[in-house]
Amino acid sequence: SKLTYEIASTYRLGEVNLPLNYIELGNEFYLNDDQYKEVFPSVLDYLNKSREWIQDYRSIQIPQSTNVKFAVVGSDYGAEVPGRRKLWLKTLLDNISPSDGIDAVTVHDYIGTGLSDLTGNCLTVGSNQLKTYLNKAFKDGQTLRTNTFADIQAANQGHLSLEPLEIWLTEFNNLDDENSYIGTWPHGLFNAAMALQYLETPEVSKVITHTMLSDGVFGNIFESTAGFDNIACHGTLPIGSYTTRKGEFTALGNALNQIALALHNATNAKKIEFTPQAGSNIPSITPGSPYPVLYGWYFENTPGERQMIILNLDFNIAQQYNLTIPTGIFTGTVNYDQIFTNDFQQAILGNATSTGGPNEIQLLTNTSAGNSVSLSAGSITRIYQEQAPLQLKLTDNEICVG
């Protein structure tokens, strides 16, 4: 793209009264694509161009974007990534100056499940692989914090301490689409675990799922009635024909919607520490894993509203988990929404329903007069209290005073 084109687009946004607050300068230029390497042979070439664009853009002072924040393209990395990608973030951070006008670094987080069939055939996975699959969300989440996030934090504590960088997660999901978890409820739980773990890093200020409207792999909402037609591997569909419900949630959307509801207007977040009762224990997702099957967060906002979101990643229906909420958090009756499925291998075709039929997620909405909530196997539970509605008195002879 060209700067003049982007500026014209910004002016057009102003014409339709849409403010512009955040700009991401490009997408995944650390990859080895020939067109990327031709325009930006090195990360320094990219950084210099970013500085130029930021300076020129700010000098114009477009009315609806005078306080816009700019983010440069960062990268996650591991031991097996190519050199360009592996060195991209460190070189970028070492050369950013507080005077550059850069506000944030974007990161895309895609986790390979390790369950792909390299022969090109779809890999059918069962209950044993399910544990490995869900554990991978936490194992790779820890790697992201240890490598990528830690590098940004170190720069913020060093030469960027006066103008610390935010972290924007602008894409996240599974990496592969070659296993039968795609589009199933475990796929939703996997993404929920990824999203909630970003809260463990204070520098993460923006989290955006890959695509809002799309198919059963990347979308939160089905854009068509054939949301699995162009996906090589996915969960089981009804025999004969199927229809995804256009405009309704995918498995990902059902899961992330509950997190969004819990996070809405939150000003404080705390990770929940689960303590088992005497004589019992909370098992790990996989044997020997440091990650327990229960993972959750507590949120509160300025008016004093409180919510909890809890993932139960244990699909063993014989294992019971009864959550006892400490006194003082909620007063009186609490409400909770709980979503789960009766068959984790089925592809999800739309919104959760109260009945939870074939290829559906079941939504249980209930209240608890005490402080105990039962966590269904393989579920997300959102606990909250209904706020008293605002009462407005209308008269027929007075519209307003003053």
Side-chain angles (χ1 to χ4, degrees):
S1 183
K2 295 182 178 180
L3 180 59
T4 52
Y5 178 85
E6 300 298 338
I7 290 174
S9 299
T10 303
Y11 272 109
R12 178 56 184 155
L13 290 175
E15 290 175 345
V16 294
N17 202 29
L18 290 176
L20 181 63
N21 299 316
Y22 310 103
I23 294 178
E24 180 179 357
L25 294 172
N27 178 67
E28 299 184 349
F29 291 133
Y30 50 79
L31 298 178
N32 278 328
D33 296 33
D34 290 339
Q35 64 268 31
Y36 293 166
K37 292 189 291 184
E38 179 180 353
V39 177
F40 302 122
S42 76
V43 65
L44 295 181
D45 296 302
Y46 166 71
L47 179 57
N48 288 333
K49 179 59 70 174
S50 296
R51 289 171 175 146
E52 177 185 322
W53 274 43
I54 293 171
Q55 182 179 356
D56 291 347
Y57 188 96
R58 292 194 190 280
S59 67
I60 298 174
Q61 296 186 340
I62 302 173
Q64 75 272 19
S65 64
T66 53
N67 296 318
V68 69
K69 288 188 174 183
F70 283 94
V72 291
V73 174
S75 67
D76 63 340
Y77 64 89
E80 299 178 357
V81 300
R84 177 181 172 91
R85 180 171 184 165
K86 191 170 186 177
L87 298 175
W88 183 277
L89 180 63
K90 185 178 187 308
T91 306
L92 182 75
L93 294 171
D94 287 347
N95 288 277
I96 292 178
S97 168
S99 62
D100 289 339
I102 297 170
D103 302 287
V105 174
T106 63
V107 175
H108 292 176
D109 183 19
Y110 287 99
I111 296 179
T113 64
L115 297 175
S116 298
D117 183 350
L118 299 181
T119 65
N121 298 317
C122 293
L123 181 64
T124 300
V125 286
S127 55
N128 290 332
Q129 292 87 352
L130 175 61
K131 298 177 181 179
T132 302
Y133 174 71
L134 295 172
N135 191 72
K136 196 74 160 54
F138 290 89
K139 182 179 179 181
D140 281 32
Q142 181 62 49
T143 300
L144 183 70
R145 292 190 293 274
T146 301
N147 293 348
T148 302
F149 290 174
D151 287 351
I152 298 171
Q153 290 171 325
N156 284 345
Q157 294 164 9
H159 69 287
L160 297 178
S161 60
L162 297 179
E163 296 289 342
L165 298 169
E166 300 175 15
I167 301 173
W168 299 354
L169 260 295
T170 53
E171 291 183 24
F172 68 96
N173 205 331
N174 286 176
L175 178 63
D176 57 352
D177 63 350
E178 297 174 344
N179 68 76
S180 62
Y181 284 133
I182 297 301
T184 67
W185 176 230
H187 188 192
L189 276 173
F190 191 102
N191 274 253
M194 292 179 72
L196 287 172
Q197 285 181 88
Y198 301 141
L199 292 170
E200 298 190 25
T201 304
E203 289 79 4
V204 175
S205 60
K206 301 284 181 293
V207 177
I208 306 170
T209 187
H210 179 277
T211 307
M212 188 58 68
L213 289 165
S214 186
D215 55 22
V217 176
F218 296 115
N220 283 263
I221 297 172
F222 285 114
E223 66 179 355
S224 75
T225 58
F228 291 100
D229 274 11
N230 297 316
I231 302 173
C233 301
H234 47 70
T236 57
L237 292 167
I239 297 174
S241 63
Y242 78 96
T243 299
T244 51
R245 299 195 283 273
K246 183 178 179 180
E248 293 193 13
F249 287 131
T250 63
L252 308 187
N254 278 287
L256 296 179
N257 179 55
Q258 290 297 321
I259 294 176
L261 290 170
L263 270 169
H264 185 61
N265 291 331
T267 55
N268 188 31
K270 297 178 181 178
K271 184 179 174 182
I272 299 174
E273 298 294 334
F274 296 95
T275 303
Q277 293 181 340
S280 62
N281 70 297
I282 300 174
S284 299
I285 300 175
T286 59
S289 166
Y291 312 112
V293 295
L294 300 182
Y295 183 75
W297 283 80
Y298 164 81
F299 305 105
E300 56 187 22
N301 59 23
T302 302
E305 298 171 348
R306 298 174 175 89
Q307 298 208 37
M308 291 180 175
I309 194 85
I310 299 168
L311 311 186
N312 177 11
L313 302 169
D314 191 342
F315 277 74
N316 180 8
I317 59 176
Q319 180 69 52
Q320 298 293 316
Y321 297 95
N322 294 310
L323 176 71
T324 301
I325 304 171
T327 58
I329 295 180
F330 297 107
T331 302
T333 300
V334 298
N335 304 77
Y336 63 92
D337 291 346
Q338 189 172 99
I339 52 177
F340 53 93
T341 185
N342 295 316
D343 189 339
F344 69 83
Q345 292 183 324
Q346 291 183 347
I348 301 303
L349 303 181
N351 290 347
T353 67
S354 59
T355 55
N359 296 98
E360 289 184 334
I361 296 167
Q362 185 168 347
L363 168 63
L364 172 66
T365 299
N366 210 338
T367 60
S368 174
N371 62 346
S372 180
V373 175
S374 179
L375 306 177
S376 297
S379 65
I380 294 180
T381 304
R382 181 173 64 93
I383 305 171
Y384 57 97
Q385 280 189 314
E386 294 284 2
Q387 298 299 308
L390 178 65
Q391 300 292 329
L392 297 176
K393 182 179 181 181
L394 303 179
T395 68
D396 57 2
N397 59 6
E398 187 176 279
I399 296 177
C400 62
V401 177

